[in-house]
Amino acid sequence: MAQRASDASYKLLFSHPEMVSALLSGFIPASWLKQLNFKSLRLLSGSLVSYRLRQSHADMVWQIKVPGYDLPLIIHIEFQRSFDPQMPLRVLGYSVHIVKSYLRQHRHSGKSKWPPVLSIVLYNGQRPWKASTNISAHFKPMPATMLKITPKHRFHMIDIRRQNRQHLAKLDNILAQLMRFELPDGPDEMGDILLLLKQKLLTNHPLRRT
């Protein structure tokens, strides 16, 4: 029950575009993300994600426009509180469902290119995540001539409890400050975090209520 409540809290937070912007700009090490217009972020409707998929995990699916391309980048955020060695397989399955749903919703024939999916796992478990985030690393090694048949898909892992508390404190990023709630160094620091968040959210009433 506690895990579901925590997932629901994260899902509520990431229903705000400001949180997704903070995630992409502060925690995904890819320079090309700076080219994106975060104001074009749009939470995709529930019809994009199948009923079965919605029931199987606490997902958030967004899209953002990519300059110069006619298809958006789809961002899938997965919230995870326990270690799961099959996570690469699960995330690949979610990505396939999301792309198929997108093509179906947009009456896309599938003959041309498909929208890419950026898969992000926000992990908040007690146990360090040691498994590879690349699905190809989980298959038994084969001769070099057979490597081409191995699926290739990688998700980006953000291990919240292994973040450096001092580094987070220096970042001008609302997600970084929220992560500090998971890593407090006593009541004084918790008070500092609350004060900082209050200042940052002074004019953002919807996110402040959340």
Side-chain angles (χ1 to χ4, degrees), residues 1-168:
M1 181 67 70
Q3 178 174 336
R4 287 198 294 270
S6 176
D7 286 347
S9 297
Y10 273 104
K11 189 171 183 179
L12 187 59
L13 280 170
F14 281 92
S15 66
H16 295 272
E18 296 87 350
M19 292 298 298
V20 183
S21 297
L23 173 65
L24 295 176
S25 62
F27 294 90
I28 306 298
S31 58
W32 58 267
L33 285 172
K34 297 178 181 178
Q35 305 172 19
L36 303 181
N37 180 6
F38 291 141
K39 292 183 179 179
S40 69
L41 274 167
R42 184 167 70 87
L43 182 63
L44 295 178
S45 66
S47 60
L48 177 66
V49 185
S50 69
Y51 175 80
R52 181 179 178 185
L53 182 59
R54 291 202 308 274
Q55 294 303 304
S56 63
H57 71 139
D59 66 282
M60 295 299 297
V61 183
W62 288 78
Q63 74 172 32
I64 188 170
K65 293 180 180 178
V66 180
Y69 291 84
D70 58 347
L71 289 175
L73 169 67
I74 298 178
I75 303 159
H76 168 227
I77 307 170
E78 168 77 6
F79 310 108
Q80 186 72 16
R81 274 198 172 263
S82 59
F83 174 74
D84 183 358
Q86 292 191 18
M87 199 71 203
L89 198 59
R90 284 175 52 197
V91 172
L92 176 59
Y94 298 152
S95 297
V96 170
H97 276 292
I98 289 168
V99 171
K100 289 175 67 175
S101 297
Y102 181 94
L103 298 181
R104 184 165 54 248
Q105 181 175 330
H106 291 79
R107 298 184 179 181
H108 195 295
S109 67
K111 294 180 180 179
S112 56
K113 300 298 183 181
W114 306 337
V117 179
L118 172 61
S119 301
I120 304 170
V121 174
L122 278 172
Y123 174 60
N124 196 23
Q126 296 289 344
R127 177 182 176 184
W129 195 285
K130 295 183 178 180
S132 175
T133 59
N134 190 339
I135 193 170
S136 62
H138 292 260
F139 286 88
K140 188 175 181 64
M142 291 289 178
T145 54
M146 296 183 65
L147 289 179
K148 293 182 179 180
I149 67 173
T150 302
K152 292 179 176 59
H153 185 269
R154 181 190 296 273
F155 64 87
H156 189 85
M157 162 68 68
I158 300 174
D159 191 337
I160 295 176
R161 291 184 182 272
R162 258 52 67 178
Q163 298 291 316
N164 183 282
R165 192 172 63 248
Q166 287 74 28
H167 175 67
L168 292 176

